[in-house]
Amino acid sequence: MTKMNKINGLWVPAHANVVNHTHLDCVLRHRDVVRFAAQAGFETFKEPFPELTVKLWRDAELLAKTGLITDRSLIARLQRRAVSAYREDCFQRGGDLTAYVAAIANQLVPLMQTVENIKLFTEHYIQDLVSDHTIGAQIRFAPHLHIFGGLSLEAVVEAVAEVTANAPIPIKLILCALRGPEGEAKAKEAREVADLCIKYSAQVGAMDLAGAEALWGGIPEWWWVEALRAREASGGQCGITLHLGEVQPATAAEIQKLKDNGVFVVGHFLHNDDDELYQECCPHSNLTLTAHPCLTSGQFRCHPVGRKLEEKQRVMLSTDGTTLIKTSMRMQMALGRRAFGWTAKDLRQLSLNAVNGGFYNEADKKNMRKQLKLAYGQK
Ligand SMILES: [Zn+2]
C-alpha cells in the first residue's frame, strides 16, 4: 500500500490526478481474476483463459498440494508467470472489440456476483488508484450486471458503497444503465437504476448511460426520462452524464438538448468539439479500441486531447479501465508531456477540469483544488 504523507492534513502526491471515468468491471487486478477463476474452475467460463495461464496455475496448485516447503518460491514464480500470461492476453484483446467485450462479459463480470468479491475488487482498485497518485475518483458500474448470482440491485450498490465510504480518497459512484434496443426491458432497467440513484444519492454522483453506442447511439428517451427523474427526486444530488461521441459524432441537437437541461459533462466526446461541456477523455482506451479513424497509428500524439486542451476545451484525463487497457494516469500524463509538451500547469488544468466537471461534494472539491495547487504550483 502506498504511503500517503500529508502536508497540513492534505495528501500531495507528486503526480496528483483525478479520475472521473473508470468502470469497476474493467479495473480488476489480473492476479485476482486468475485466482478467483481458478477457484471457480477455469473450464466453467464461456470465454476461455489462455492455455499457458491455466497450465502454470494448475502446476502451482499441484506443487502446493504435494510439494515440499522448499518449493514455495517456485510456486510463486509459476503463479506470477500464469498471471503475466493472462495480462498479455488481456492487453492483446484491445485490437478486437468482440474479444474485448467477451473478456468483460464472460471472464470479469462472472467473478463479480458476490458481495465478498465485489468488495475485494473495489478495495484493490482503490489501492491501485492511490498508487497511481489519484486524489479523487468516480467509479461507475451497471448494477444489473452483478445480479446473476442472486444478489439484489441494492446489495450490489451497498457492497461498493461500503468500501468507497471508507476509502482514503473521496470517491463518488456513478450508476450506469446500458444501451440496448428500445422496449420494456430497457425502460425497466433505467427505472431501477434511477431508483437506486435516488435511494443512494449520498454516495451516487450521477446516472450514466454506457454500452454499445455504435448500435444504439444518441440519447434514448427511455434512459433520459429516468435520468431526469433521478436528478429531480434526489434534489439535484444525483446528476446526469452519459457516454457520447465515443465511436461516432453526437449531433448538434443532442448536444443542445444536454446543455438546455443542465447536463455539463459527457464521457469521451472523442468525435466532437465543444467549449462548454466537460469531456472525460480516455486516450489510451480510445487508442486501444481505435475509436476514431485518426487513431489508427496508435500514437498518443494523434489523440485530440492535446489540441482540445490547447483550445481551452474542458478536457480531463481518465483511464476507462486498466484490466484490458495497458494504461495508468501516470503513464498518460507522462505521454502527454512527451507528445504535447504538457507542463505542470497543463497537468493541473486537466485535473482541475475533472474536479469542476465531477460530482464530488463541495468540501472535497475544495480540498482537491488545494492538493493540485500544492502538487503543481500556482503557474
Ligand atoms: Zn466508459
Side-chain angles (χ1 to χ4, degrees):
M1 187 79 190
T2 309
K3 261 185 101 184
M4 298 172 75
N5 294 326
K6 297 192 173 170
I7 305 171
N8 295 332
L10 291 173
W11 178 47
V12 185
H15 307 283
N17 63 77
V18 178
V19 180
N20 283 10
H21 192 115
T22 177
H23 296 256
L24 187 58
D25 60 4
C26 296
V27 294
L28 313 194
R29 284 184 184 171
H30 300 96
R31 189 183 177 84
D32 288 342
V33 175
V34 174
R35 187 160 61 89
F36 284 136
Q39 279 168 16
F42 287 116
E43 66 289 347
T44 62
F45 290 79
K46 265 204 273 174
E47 183 68 14
F49 280 80
E51 275 174 37
L52 188 60
T53 298
V54 176
K55 187 188 174 310
L56 292 171
W57 195 270
R58 284 194 174 140
D59 286 351
E61 278 177 341
L62 203 65
L63 260 188
K65 252 187 242 159
T66 59
L68 302 164
I69 196 75
T70 48
D71 285 328
R72 285 251 166 264
S73 70
L74 178 58
I75 293 169
R77 213 160 56 234
L78 287 170
Q79 288 181 336
R80 272 201 305 276
R81 282 177 56 202
V83 172
S84 101
Y86 179 60
R87 187 182 296 115
E88 285 306 308
D89 182 68
C90 282
F91 292 159
Q92 276 171 15
R93 285 169 181 262
D96 177 351
L97 188 62
T98 314
Y100 181 92
V101 172
I104 299 171
N106 300 322
Q107 288 181 344
L108 309 183
V109 167
L111 294 172
M112 304 176 75
Q113 305 300 328
T114 64
V115 165
E116 200 186 13
N117 283 15
I118 291 173
K119 279 187 176 174
L120 187 104
F121 289 132
T122 310
E123 260 168 44
H124 282 180
Y125 181 49
I126 292 168
Q127 288 173 14
D128 293 344
L129 284 169
V130 170
S131 306
D132 203 14
H133 292 197
T134 300
I135 59 169
Q138 296 182 163
I139 301 179
R140 64 192 68 207
F141 57 97
H144 288 82
L145 290 180
H146 306 284
I147 55 174
F148 307 131
L151 288 182
S152 67
L153 292 167
E154 281 82 1
V156 175
V157 178
E158 284 168 18
V160 182
E162 197 184 311
V163 177
T164 55
N166 295 308
I169 55 172
I171 292 185
K172 276 283 178 186
L173 307 185
I174 308 276
L175 301 188
C176 314
L178 297 172
R179 291 182 184 275
E182 190 147 1
E184 182 41 38
K186 283 291 147 189
K188 180 170 176 279
E189 179 183 321
R191 201 159 57 236
E192 288 171 346
V193 173
D195 286 341
L196 292 168
C197 287
I198 298 161
K199 183 166 179 184
Y200 300 102
S201 60
Q203 289 91 15
V204 177
M207 178 160 162
D208 181 26
L209 179 66
E213 187 189 15
L215 293 175
W216 301 287
I219 311 171
E221 200 57 21
W222 55 264
W223 171 81
W224 180 243
V225 292
E226 291 300 333
L228 289 173
R229 180 174 72 84
R231 188 174 65 183
E232 177 150 2
S234 67
Q237 263 198 296
C238 172
I240 301 174
T241 185
L242 79 162
H243 286 66
L244 197 68
E246 179 180 2
V247 297
Q248 63 194 30
T251 67
E254 285 161 356
I255 295 167
Q256 198 53 50
K257 178 175 175 167
L258 294 176
K259 291 183 185 176
D260 289 346
N261 286 280
V263 175
F264 57 85
V265 58
V266 285
H268 294 284
F269 219 55
L270 172 66
H271 289 253
N272 292 84
D273 285 298
D274 194 90
D275 291 334
E276 293 169 20
L277 289 172
Y278 286 95
Q279 306 171 33
E280 297 163 348
C281 299
C282 308
H284 268 155
S285 166
N286 299 150
L287 282 157
T288 303
L289 294 166
T290 324
H292 190 291
C294 75
L295 302 177
T296 40
S297 73
Q299 299 290 317
F300 200 86
R301 66 182 152 77
C302 298
H303 196 281
V305 67
R307 169 184 60 79
K308 288 184 177 192
L309 183 68
E310 218 168 286
E311 293 171 0
K312 301 210 172 354
Q313 292 189 48
R314 295 167 162 178
V315 287
M316 64 192 81
L317 285 180
S318 283
T319 54
D320 213 9
T322 47
T323 313
L324 295 152
I325 302 161
K326 194 175 182 176
T327 191
S328 71
M329 289 301 282
R330 286 167 70 177
M331 266 171 75
Q332 296 193 106
M333 288 155 73
L335 281 166
R337 277 184 185 271
R338 241 179 285 155
F340 309 120
W342 283 345
T343 60
K345 188 180 168 212
D346 295 322
L347 295 174
R348 181 177 166 212
Q349 189 59 50
L350 287 162
S351 279
L352 268 181
N353 288 342
V355 172
N356 297 335
F359 296 97
Y360 306 98
N361 301 339
E362 280 310 317
D364 290 330
K365 285 187 172 187
K366 215 170 144 188
N367 277 338
M368 286 193 263
R369 288 187 193 108
K370 278 190 209 160
Q371 286 163 286
L372 292 171
K373 197 186 222 177
L374 287 166
Y376 295 108
Q378 258 180 305
K379 289 153 221 138

